[in-house]
């Protein structure tokens, strides 16, 4: 079993470090390159760097990319793991917010995104060491990469119509305290995808793969 882990924004494959411990699978953890400014471009790039058939595990923005993969190349998808993500497009306000953020990043650098996103990633119970680790991952992202990802997220299509057509085993994982892509999003996706399994992770906010890695790993091991 091959699992391709697709990271979120403004993050890197380092968010999946602990998932390497998941047994019975070969893990592929690509780092998305800077120049990709649509979900379809991201999906094609991931497909080029993936085995012929794999389970695609997308965290947040990585989930948006996993949906694009399922649209473009369903024959390559053996299963889906949708982690703290959602199928819907941005609302007009959210889209405007992304473009406002792009202007701020151009002017002041990526620190504005780190400052805005970091408090949403982990629960208040997270250790200072973990908070620092997440901050360092975010701070390692370049201006160009951050701007392109913001554009790609703002323009991503709604994938609601895809969900009932998903024919592969699907696991939906969500941190119980996720305020970026809340439990209600995960419940809606799990209801719409035939046979999907939903696992809620207590004590995790958005970045469940890091904050509660053992619980996430158990859910994936039970699924695969
Ligand atoms: C992510 O974690 O990938 C992003 O926060 C998702 C988003 O902003 O929609």
């Amino acid at each position: 079993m091959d699992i391709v882990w697709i990271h979120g924004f403004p993050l890197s494959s380092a968010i999946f470090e602990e998932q390497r411990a998941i047994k019975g699978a070969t893990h592929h953890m690509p780092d998305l390159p800077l120049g990709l400014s649509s979900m379809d471009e991201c999906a094609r790039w991931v497909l080029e760097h993936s085995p012929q058939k794999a389970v695609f595990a997308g965290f947040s923005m990585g989930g948006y990319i996993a949906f694009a993969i399922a649209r473009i190349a369903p024959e390559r998808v053996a299963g889906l793991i949708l982690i703290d993500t959602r199928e819907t497009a941005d609302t007009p306000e959210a889209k405007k917010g992304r473009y406002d953020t792009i202007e701020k990043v151009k002017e002041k650098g990526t620190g504005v995104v780190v400052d805005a996103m970091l408090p949403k990633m982990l629960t208040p119970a997270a250790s200072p060491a973990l908070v620092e680790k997440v901050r360092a991952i975010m701070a390692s992202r370049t201006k160009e990469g951050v701007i392109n990802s913001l554009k790609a997220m703002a323009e991503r299509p709604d994938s609601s119509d895809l969900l009932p057509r998903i024919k592969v085993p699907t696991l939906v994982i969500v941190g119980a305290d996720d305020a970026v892509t809340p439990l209600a999003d995960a419940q809606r996706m799990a209801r719409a995808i035939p046979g999907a399994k939903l696992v809620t992770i207590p004590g995790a906010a958005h970045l469940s793969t890091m904050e509660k890695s053992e619980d996430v790993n158990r859910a994936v091991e039970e699924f695969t």
Side-chain angles (χ1 to χ4, degrees), residues 130-191:
L130 182 57
V131 174
E132 219 18 73
K133 204 167 172 179
V134 176
R135 181 197 295 281
I137 295 172
M138 291 178 152
S140 73
R141 309 319 286 164
T142 65
K143 213 167 174 173
E144 184 193 352
V146 165
I147 290 172
N148 279 331
S149 296
L150 283 164
K151 223 179 273 173
M153 290 193 289
E155 300 300 333
R156 76 185 188 279
D158 187 303
S159 294
S160 306
D161 64 330
L162 178 74
L163 303 190
R165 292 188 276 118
I166 292 175
K167 300 261 183 333
V168 292
T170 299
L171 172 64
V172 179
I173 295 177
V174 65
D177 300 328
D178 187 348
V180 180
T181 49
L183 177 62
D185 290 347
Q187 288 169 328
R188 190 182 57 239
M189 287 192 294
R191 268 197 310 269

